[in-house]
Amino acid sequence: VEGELVTWVQEAADAAAGVIVNAAAYTHTSVALLDALKTCAVPIVEVHLSNVYKREPFRHNSYVSPAATGVICGFGPHGYVLALEAIAKLIAGKQE
């Protein structure tokens, strides 16, 4: 549910050190999710299991990307591991 995702992101803006988001179809439609992500002052990594650039052209456009620190796509579930590693490095870099 889009509203739940927005609420989780808003909660993360105050409580999390970073955000990993797979917005699924909301990637291509949700201005509300983009607005919520823009309120986060923490690193944000956008994850897609598939390579969106090998899919339909409408999937090449993301409402999430303008708020994301980085994007990982096409590595299946391993994308989440890569996202965690990226968030950890970004957080460590901020603390130095």
Side-chain angles (χ1 to χ4, degrees):
V1 175
E2 182 180 23
E4 288 180 22
L5 287 174
V6 169
T7 298
W8 290 338
V9 168
Q10 290 169 333
E11 291 170 351
D14 295 327
V19 173
I20 297 169
V21 60
N22 180 339
Y26 294 126
T27 300
H28 320 293
T29 62
S30 183
V31 174
L33 186 55
L34 169 63
D35 289 345
L37 288 165
K38 283 182 170 181
T39 69
C40 293
V42 298
I44 299 167
V45 177
E46 177 182 358
V47 174
H48 299 281
L49 299 180
S50 66
N51 180 348
V52 295
Y53 299 102
K54 290 178 73 174
R55 300 186 65 191
E56 304 90 343
F58 79 89
R59 296 189 191 277
H60 302 180
N61 298 314
S62 169
Y63 280 90
V64 174
S65 291
T69 308
V71 179
I72 297 170
C73 69
F75 292 98
H78 187 64
Y80 295 111
V81 175
L82 297 171
L84 282 170
E85 291 172 353
I87 290 278
K89 290 183 179 189
L90 289 166
I91 293 168
K94 285 186 175 184
Q95 293 176 349
E96 293 179 340

